């Protein structure tokens, strides 16, 4: 949503609620800033609470710690050369248990931030009804809180397993707490999201009928479509879990199909071309964006800081970028002649925190690059010369015309490589068979870059992205439906859902080479081809790098198997118990009365 400037009281007194963390957070505050129940009995208090929660999300999604949390140590990525010590631990499962102490910062921020915000939302829902005389207005506001509470509890549950469950606003510190049964947590999440799916606005900023006023929740805030998406995913996840109910997969499928059927009502739908879903020009009205976190240079609505290196910023335009400005004309031998490329807005700030797992990406997930154009829409493989007077052993590069760096997902052959004036990089498995000159392997610093999140319109070269960080995409609804149908044994429906995306995947931008005339036909699959691994590979093709992969693999009980199968860095280290994250130790230690909260097995 277009997040209102966060009220100062919320910045200092959103109280954490796990055990004595409530006491700790409360005692650190100036008592004049504490939130009281009366605060939420005003419309301004309700609005401030909800928008404060939206603002807090910038501390999670889009940050470096959250990148490691969701996209490291999986099948589709490897560790980048610029990764931090914590990122290396998450990416390789080495010394992984040493990262369990940090609650409010870094990799485990979700635990502390989520419980602070849940308590704020509990206050909104418990006391907010008295703030509005008008029922439709009250319903629209409180539905946002229900959605956000369900959202946070779901991510806590799928990350840590059973966790404490609180639905009342906590004002009195306590030194005890317990984990709730999984069944109870799921029931509360489903209750919140079911109600939100009927009470939220159809579209962001939609007029509240009784007052004629526009809802203050515009931009990329939650809508009915957001709630239906998440509700279908919650049913899907519970269906795989120990708390499964017999109707879960059917409910996941039915809920996803309801969203698909009513996409016109909600103003959502697939673009004709996959590339259009990621165009910066479409950000404000993206029909595939079901829920996103705002970022902006407007000081009233964003957290803009010039050239930051950390903080509540959207770094997705940085983290996948290779260190392209350090490639010299004679790479890999010598260092004379400067760099073939200069860091610029178009090519981005290179943080190179994660990199594609090239053999899986290029040989398995995106093996078909002729009919399926999603590889080319996802990865940047060429860097056009932007630096004058650069001469390699094969010739002088012309700015704006010659390709300075080329990373083809195939070996173009010795003749083409020898004639190419720039620097060629190939995935390591191709180097073994490549002959001739000018063939260098991908490394932890040099690799094809995920380009879907690029932001060439940011103010300065080293600025973070000002684009919204999209959490829910409409295309994933088809993948949720396919997985649910597959689990029900209905592979015909699963194939039909997947074929919607695969048909679209054959389309390509007008600037690209024309697709084969039979590309759409070649992209269709049959019911017999639907397997869990096919669905997971399709998720990579459709959603590579989008803060989902670790949860996708843990939900489907595939993390350990697929990491061992595809990830040479992490496979030897991963243990069966690492399908959950460890509860931050500082939270466990703060429970000093009654039974301790037990750590997840293995940690």
């Amino acid at each position: 949503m277009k997040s209102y400037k966060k009220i100062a009281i919320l910045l200092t007194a959103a109280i954490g609620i796990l055990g004595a963390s409530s006491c700790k957070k409360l005692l650190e505050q100036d008592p004049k800033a504490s939130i009281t129940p009366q605060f939420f009995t005003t419309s301004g208090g309700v609005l401030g609470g909800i928008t404060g929660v939206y603002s807090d999300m910038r501390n999670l999604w889009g940050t470096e710690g959250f990148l490691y949390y969701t996209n490291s140590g999986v099948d589709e990525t490897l560790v980048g050369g610029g990764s931090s010590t914590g990122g290396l631990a998450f990416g390789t499962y080495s010394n992984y248990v040493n990262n369990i102490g940090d609650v409010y910062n870094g990799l485990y921020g979700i635990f502390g931030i989520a419980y602070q915000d849940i308590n704020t939302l509990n206050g909104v829902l418990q006391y907010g009804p008295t703030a509005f005389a008008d029922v439709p207005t009250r319903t629209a506001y409180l539905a946002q809180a229900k959605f956000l509470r369900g959202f946070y509890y779901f991510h806590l549950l799928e990350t840590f397993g059973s966790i404490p469950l609180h639905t009342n606003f906590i004002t009195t510190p306590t030194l005890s707490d317990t984990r709730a049964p999984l069944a109870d947590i799921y029931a509360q999440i489903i209750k919140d999201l079911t109600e939100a799916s009927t009470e939220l606005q159809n579209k962001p900023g939609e007029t509240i009928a009784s007052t004629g006023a526009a809802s203050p929740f515009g931009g990329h805030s939650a809508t009915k479509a957001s709630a239906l998406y998440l509700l279908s995913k919650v049913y899907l996840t519970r269906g795989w879990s120990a708390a499964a109910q017999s109707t879960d997969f059917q409910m996941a499928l039915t809920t996803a199909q309801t969203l698909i059927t009513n996409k016109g009502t909600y103003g959502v739908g697939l673009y004709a071309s996959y590339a259009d879903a990621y165009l910066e020009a479409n950000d404000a009205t993206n029909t595939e964006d079901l829920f996103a976190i705002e970022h902006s240079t407007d000081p009233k609505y964003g957290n803009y800081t010039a050239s930051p290196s950390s903080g509540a910023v959207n770094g997705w335009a940085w983290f996948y970028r290779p260190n392209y400005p350090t490639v010299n004309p004679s790479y890999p031998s010598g260092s004379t002649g400067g760099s073939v490329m200069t860091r610029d807005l178009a090519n981005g700030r290179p943080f190179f925190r994660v990199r594609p797992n090239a053999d899986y990406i290029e040989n398995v997930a995106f093996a078909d690059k002729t009919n399926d154009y999603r590889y080319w829409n996802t990865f940047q493989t060429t860097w056009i010369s932007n630096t004058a007077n650069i001469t390699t052993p094969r010739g002088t590069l012309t700015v704006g015309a010659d390709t300075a760096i080329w990373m083809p997902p195939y070996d173009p052959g010795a003749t083409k490589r020898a004639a190419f004036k720039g620097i060629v990089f190939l995935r390591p498995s191709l180097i073994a068979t490549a002959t001739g000159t000018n063939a260098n392997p991908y490394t932890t610093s040099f690799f094809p870059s995920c380009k879907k999140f690029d932001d060439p319109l940011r103010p300065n070269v080293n600025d973070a992205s000002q684009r919204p960080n999209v959490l829910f995409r409409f295309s994933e609804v088809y993948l949720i439906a396919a997985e649910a149908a597959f689990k029900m044994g209905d592979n015909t429906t699963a194939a039909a859902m997947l074929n919607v995306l695969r048909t679209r995947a054959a389309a390509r931008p007008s600037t690209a080479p024309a697709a084969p005339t039979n590309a759409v036909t070649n992209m269709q699959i049959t019911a017999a081809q639907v397997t869990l691994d096919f669905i997971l590979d399709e998720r990579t093709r459709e959603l590579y790098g989008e803060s989902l992969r670790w949860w996708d693999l843990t939900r489907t009980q595939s993390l350990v198997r697929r990491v061992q199968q595809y990830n040479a860095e992490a496979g030897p280290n991963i243990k069966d118990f690492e399908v959950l994250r460890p509860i931050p130790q500082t939270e466990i230690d703060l429970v000093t009365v009654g039974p301790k909260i037990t750590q997840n097995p293995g940690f």
Side-chain angles (χ1 to χ4, degrees):
M1 62 176 292
K2 184 170 269 191
S3 200
Y4 289 76
K5 190 172 185 179
K6 195 173 182 182
I7 297 173
I9 193 172
L10 292 173
L11 283 168
T12 58
I15 302 168
I17 65 173
L18 175 60
S21 65
S22 298
C23 179
K24 177 184 176 187
K25 297 298 287 184
L26 183 63
L27 293 176
E28 289 177 347
Q29 308 308 327
D30 180 342
K32 292 181 294 184
S34 296
I35 299 177
T36 65
Q38 289 71 33
F39 177 76
F40 297 115
T41 62
T42 67
S43 59
V46 170
L47 180 61
I50 293 169
T51 56
V53 170
Y54 270 110
S55 181
D56 265 354
M57 289 182 178
R58 296 195 194 104
N59 293 295
L60 299 172
W61 279 265
T63 65
E64 183 174 345
F66 220 66
L67 172 84
Y68 300 140
Y69 209 68
T70 56
N71 290 351
S72 290
V74 294
D75 50 2
E76 64 183 25
T77 62
L78 300 174
V79 175
S83 183
S84 69
T85 301
L88 181 65
F90 268 67
T92 63
Y93 297 95
S94 57
N95 298 319
Y96 177 44
V97 294
N98 291 337
N99 290 283
I100 65 176
D102 194 356
V103 183
Y104 296 103
N105 300 293
L107 303 176
Y108 280 91
I110 187 174
F111 208 95
I113 291 170
Y115 273 109
Q116 290 177 24
D117 286 345
I118 286 170
N119 200 40
T120 297
L121 296 166
N122 287 343
V124 168
L125 290 168
Q126 187 171 344
Y127 301 105
T130 62
F132 306 94
D134 179 71
V135 173
T137 302
R138 177 170 68 237
T139 300
Y141 276 63
L142 300 188
Q144 291 284 334
K146 292 175 183 178
F147 168 82
L148 291 168
R149 186 170 67 179
F151 170 90
Y152 263 136
Y153 268 128
F154 175 61
H155 285 309
L156 286 169
L157 181 151
E158 65 176 345
T159 304
F160 301 104
S162 173
I163 37 94
L165 176 66
H166 300 274
T167 57
N168 291 319
F169 183 62
I170 293 177
T171 58
T172 303
T174 177
L175 300 177
S176 63
D177 212 344
T178 58
R179 293 183 186 234
L182 279 178
D184 293 352
I185 304 169
Y186 271 114
Q188 182 61 51
I189 294 169
I190 289 172
K191 179 179 184 296
D192 279 344
L193 294 178
T194 299
E195 293 175 7
S197 71
T198 62
E199 295 170 355
L200 282 166
Q201 56 209 22
N202 286 336
K203 301 174 184 178
E206 197 169 61
T207 300
I208 297 174
S210 59
T211 65
S215 166
F217 303 104
H220 297 83
S221 60
T223 62
K224 284 186 173 70
S226 313
L228 287 168
Y229 159 94
L230 190 55
L231 182 59
S232 67
K233 198 165 197 179
V234 171
Y235 278 123
L236 180 67
T237 305
R238 188 173 70 173
W240 281 94
S241 78
Q245 296 190 10
S246 60
T247 58
D248 280 339
F249 293 124
Q250 180 62 66
M251 288 299 295
L253 176 60
T254 299
T255 305
Q257 288 176 324
T258 296
L259 176 50
I260 293 169
T261 300
N262 294 289
K263 60 183 183 291
T265 300
Y266 304 135
V268 300
L270 294 177
Y271 285 100
S273 170
Y274 176 86
D276 290 342
Y278 297 90
L279 285 180
E280 191 162 11
N282 290 335
D283 281 349
T285 58
N286 194 314
T287 61
E288 295 195 34
D289 169 4
L290 302 184
F291 184 58
I293 299 169
E294 291 278 13
H295 291 270
S296 173
T297 56
D298 184 335
K300 184 178 181 181
Y301 299 121
N303 289 63
Y304 171 71
T305 301
S307 302
S309 59
S310 61
V313 297
N314 181 5
W316 249 237
W318 299 340
F319 301 141
Y320 299 93
R321 311 303 294 178
N323 201 10
Y324 66 92
T326 64
V327 178
N328 66 67
S330 299
Y331 184 85
S333 61
S335 58
T336 60
S339 299
V340 299
M341 291 290 297
T342 301
R343 181 186 299 194
D344 62 9
L345 281 165
N347 291 287
R349 184 180 184 180
F351 262 47
F352 48 108
R353 297 307 196 245
V354 294
R355 70 192 201 274
N357 183 2
D359 284 335
Y360 168 68
I361 292 297
E362 295 180 6
N363 288 347
V364 181
F366 294 93
D368 182 358
K369 303 176 190 65
T370 302
N371 300 295
D372 190 337
Y373 208 71
R374 284 176 293 188
Y375 178 86
W376 306 104
N377 284 326
T378 300
F379 296 101
Q380 178 180 348
T381 60
T382 59
W383 283 256
I384 305 301
S385 174
N386 66 357
T387 308
N389 304 315
I390 297 297
T391 300
T392 75
R394 292 162 301 282
T396 299
L397 298 174
T398 301
V399 173
D402 287 331
T403 298
I405 301 173
W406 185 24
M407 298 182 180
Y410 56 86
D411 181 6
T415 300
K416 286 187 177 180
R417 283 190 275 105
F420 179 68
K421 288 193 290 184
I423 310 298
V424 179
F425 290 86
L426 304 175
R427 68 177 183 270
S429 58
L430 291 177
I431 289 293
T433 58
T435 58
T437 59
N438 193 21
N440 308 288
Y442 298 167
T443 68
T444 59
S445 299
F446 306 127
F447 45 82
S449 176
C450 181
K451 65 181 183 180
K452 297 190 297 185
F453 316 117
D454 288 359
D455 183 5
L457 299 182
R458 63 197 188 283
N460 303 296
V461 172
N462 290 334
D463 280 358
S465 176
Q466 307 307 311
R467 301 183 66 180
N469 192 277
V470 179
L471 276 60
F472 305 168
R473 293 192 184 274
F474 184 63
S475 60
E476 194 191 354
V477 178
Y478 293 90
L479 292 162
I480 292 170
E483 187 179 321
F486 165 76
K487 289 296 289 181
M488 294 167 59
D490 183 2
N491 282 11
T492 299
T493 297
M497 293 292 103
L498 295 173
N499 281 336
V500 172
L501 300 180
R502 292 178 62 78
T503 296
R504 194 264 294 268
R508 52 200 66 195
S510 59
T511 55
T517 56
N518 58 349
V520 171
T521 299
N522 292 341
M523 286 294 289
Q524 306 307 295
I525 62 166
T526 66
Q529 293 173 275
V530 177
T531 65
L532 177 59
D533 282 328
F534 188 94
I535 292 171
L536 290 171
D537 292 341
E538 193 69 25
R539 291 188 70 89
T540 289
R541 289 185 280 270
E542 191 70 26
L543 300 168
Y544 176 84
E546 300 198 29
S547 302
L548 295 167
R549 193 59 175 183
W550 190 83
W551 285 318
D552 289 341
L553 295 181
T554 55
R555 177 186 68 252
T556 58
Q557 303 168 15
S558 303
L559 177 69
V560 174
R561 173 178 63 85
R562 285 182 66 99
V563 166
Q564 290 176 340
Q565 181 177 1
Y566 293 117
N567 189 326
E569 293 179 348
N573 303 320
I574 193 171
K575 307 295 192 300
D576 288 344
F577 64 81
E578 289 172 325
V579 295
L580 291 175
R581 302 297 194 194
I583 301 291
Q585 190 63 42
T586 46
E587 294 288 352
I588 292 175
D589 292 344
L590 287 170
V591 177
T592 59
V593 173
K596 294 286 271 185
I597 291 180
T598 57
Q599 182 55 274
N600 282 328
F603 297 101

